[in-house]
Amino acid sequence: MESPTKHISDPEPLILQLQRSLKDPLPGVAAQMKMATAVRQTQPGPQDRPRSSAVLSLLHTTPDGLALVFTLRPTSLRHYGGQISFPGGGAEPSDLTYADTALRETEEELGISTHDIRILGELTSLFIAHSQNLVHHFVGWLPVLPPLNPNPFEVDRVLQVPLNALLDPRSLDTYCWPRDGLMLSAPCYRVGETCIWGATAMMLNELLEVIRRLHTWRGSSPGLATF
């Protein structure tokens, strides 16, 4: 089936609706936990000393309609090497806000100017115990993605995943991996060869739940966005 989002002539009404919706009560932790492993700590405890960080869900237009930017992390990285993530990283003293952190890290990782990115709003922060990060999740809009020059030390490959494919319930799957002689599993989003799981899938799911409740969204087929 051809993606209905290919026929968007003006995505701005949808973007404005999304911006307004991000000011409403958010789906929050309940939406994140739908994509979590069986045992997951979502907020820091008394013993934790988390570092503040920020990521950006960057919406933009492609020939296949609206899409989100993800990065495939090099396997050489200490944390989450070989996994798919949103652009982002740790806050620096020079960042005035966490939104500034998300934009700066996106610029450094993708090799683009973020001057024209419009921040639409912020979703629910997520604590990642393994890396001791409290991640602030922002949503941005850039009508056209410029040519990329990704940082090879932080990015193995840049992925542009169609929003329509992520909204399709057929993208929901299970990711399995071995650890200490056991086979572990977690919910994931799978689009072609792209498998999004872990903290990124948790944050992504909250965004998708916000998008599904927009007035512009209509389901001509189960789970397909026709905006």
Side-chain angles (χ1 to χ4, degrees), residues 59-154:
L59 282 163
H60 62 288
T61 56
T62 73
D64 292 316
L66 296 178
L68 286 167
V69 174
F70 296 88
T71 63
L72 177 63
R73 299 166 65 87
T75 56
S76 58
L77 290 181
R78 178 183 176 187
H79 291 300
Y80 309 110
Q83 293 187 22
I84 293 173
S85 304
F86 289 117
E92 299 291 347
S94 58
D95 299 329
L96 298 179
T97 67
Y98 292 127
D100 290 337
T101 299
L103 290 170
R104 176 183 54 75
E105 286 285 338
T106 297
E107 184 166 321
E108 292 175 1
E109 290 186 9
L110 302 185
I112 62 172
S113 170
T114 56
H115 178 75
D116 293 326
I117 293 177
R118 188 201 317 173
I119 295 294
L120 304 180
E122 183 177 3
L123 290 160
T124 307
S125 59
L126 177 66
F127 174 61
I128 305 177
H130 176 66
S131 60
Q132 286 290 294
N133 271 279
L134 182 61
V135 184
H136 301 267
H137 182 193
F138 293 88
V139 182
W141 163 242
L142 185 64
V144 178
L145 200 64
L148 306 178
N149 185 27
N151 183 339
F153 296 104
E154 298 186 75

